[in-house]
Amino acid sequence: MNLSLSIGPIVSLIAGILILLIPRLLNYIVAIYLIVIGLIGLFGTGSLRI
């Protein structure tokens, strides 16, 4: 049995729960997400598979 998890859906689930519990976190979560996606887009993932 192969079990492979992608980090994207897990992060999205945790972020969604945090936003529901503490709505003021929305700005920070979105900002951090956009920065991380932008850095991955600029520098590439190299050997990292996300």
Side-chain angles (χ1 to χ4, degrees):
M1 179 172 102
N2 288 337
L3 179 63
S4 62
L5 293 175
S6 180
I7 194 77
I10 294 171
V11 171
S12 297
L13 180 64
I14 292 170
I17 292 170
L18 286 175
I19 290 169
L20 282 175
L21 295 176
I22 308 168
R24 288 183 291 162
L25 283 179
L26 178 62
N27 293 334
Y28 297 111
I29 292 172
V30 171
I32 291 169
Y33 175 78
L34 290 174
I35 289 170
V36 169
I37 295 299
L39 289 174
I40 290 173
L42 285 175
F43 298 112
T45 58
S47 61
L48 180 65
R49 294 284 293 174
I50 296 180

